[in-house]
Amino acid sequence: VVMNEKKYPIYKITSEWKENNTSVSIMFKHHLSYIQKKLLISDFEKGLRQKNDISSHITTTVRFLEFESWCLIWFNHYTFNDHYTDNEILVSFERFVQRKMPGQEALSRSIRNRNLPNQPDENPDDFYCLMGAEDHWRWNICRCEKCRTRGVVTVDH
């Protein structure tokens, strides 16, 4: 299968308040403008306040991560390349997992070596958690109504 895979901008949104923090990666079809980032922060903080009953100050940042064809959400990855056949989705996702395996391996080494003396620190920016995506048997393509409404295809794992 030969595909011209489209890659999209992925941003990381990180919020901190009191002793807590959260972050999420979101893929967009285009780069975000300054105003779009401010609106994203406002909406994100509003959702956090409602969901977690937060009354304290929240500090939120939006940072461009990379151009990529797949974006991680909790034990899932999604793509806007929803015009692909199921076979093309699997090929695309396999290629993505192969690209991200060095980051997964760096993360695994860091966790294993965390308490060992004289271990060099690795750059956490090189880490990538595949959340089980490296196990092909976990893959399940989802094209449910929610995915179709969002214009995505999801691979659950």
Side-chain angles (χ1 to χ4, degrees):
V1 177
V2 177
M3 297 180 305
N4 186 12
E5 229 176 2
K6 184 158 185 190
K7 295 184 178 180
Y8 299 91
I10 297 176
Y11 290 83
K12 184 174 188 173
I13 304 165
T14 303
S15 291
E16 297 177 355
W17 66 99
K18 288 192 179 186
E19 303 292 321
N20 297 302
N21 64 68
T22 188
S23 67
V24 64
S25 296
I26 301 178
M27 179 186 287
F28 294 91
K29 290 189 176 183
H30 52 81
H31 264 301
L32 298 179
S33 69
Y34 176 80
I35 292 171
Q36 289 169 320
K37 288 177 189 176
K38 290 295 184 188
L39 289 171
L40 180 62
I41 288 171
S42 176
D43 291 346
F44 194 74
E45 287 181 357
K46 181 179 178 183
L48 278 176
R49 288 186 188 287
Q50 291 172 345
K51 185 177 178 182
N52 299 292
D53 194 31
I54 301 168
S55 59
S56 62
H57 176 74
I58 301 174
T59 301
T60 302
T61 59
V62 175
R63 179 173 64 101
F64 172 76
L65 287 179
E66 64 181 335
F67 279 99
E68 188 49 88
S69 53
W70 291 89
C71 184
L72 174 69
I73 49 179
W74 196 249
F75 289 94
N76 297 270
H77 280 82
Y78 68 93
T79 184
F80 289 128
N81 292 316
D82 61 340
H83 58 281
Y84 287 172
T85 66
D86 284 358
N87 186 51
E88 289 171 327
I89 287 292
L90 293 174
V91 168
S92 170
F93 194 63
E94 171 65 28
R95 289 177 182 169
F96 167 78
V97 169
Q98 289 173 0
R99 285 192 302 272
K100 294 301 185 181
M101 274 307 291
Q104 173 69 46
E105 291 164 352
L107 177 62
S108 296
R109 275 192 311 277
S110 175
I111 291 169
R112 265 194 321 271
N113 296 336
R114 184 177 295 151
N115 297 319
L116 297 177
N118 302 321
Q119 290 298 316
D121 289 336
E122 295 190 54
N123 181 357
D125 288 342
D126 294 335
F127 295 167
Y128 191 88
C129 183
L130 284 166
M131 286 195 175
E134 63 275 23
D135 300 328
H136 296 93
W137 60 269
R138 296 177 188 256
W139 297 358
N140 182 33
I141 297 172
C142 180
R143 295 179 186 268
C144 69
E145 185 176 334
K146 183 178 176 184
C147 287
R148 285 193 309 272
T149 300
R150 291 179 51 222
V152 302
V153 176
T154 303
V155 173
D156 301 324
H157 46 80

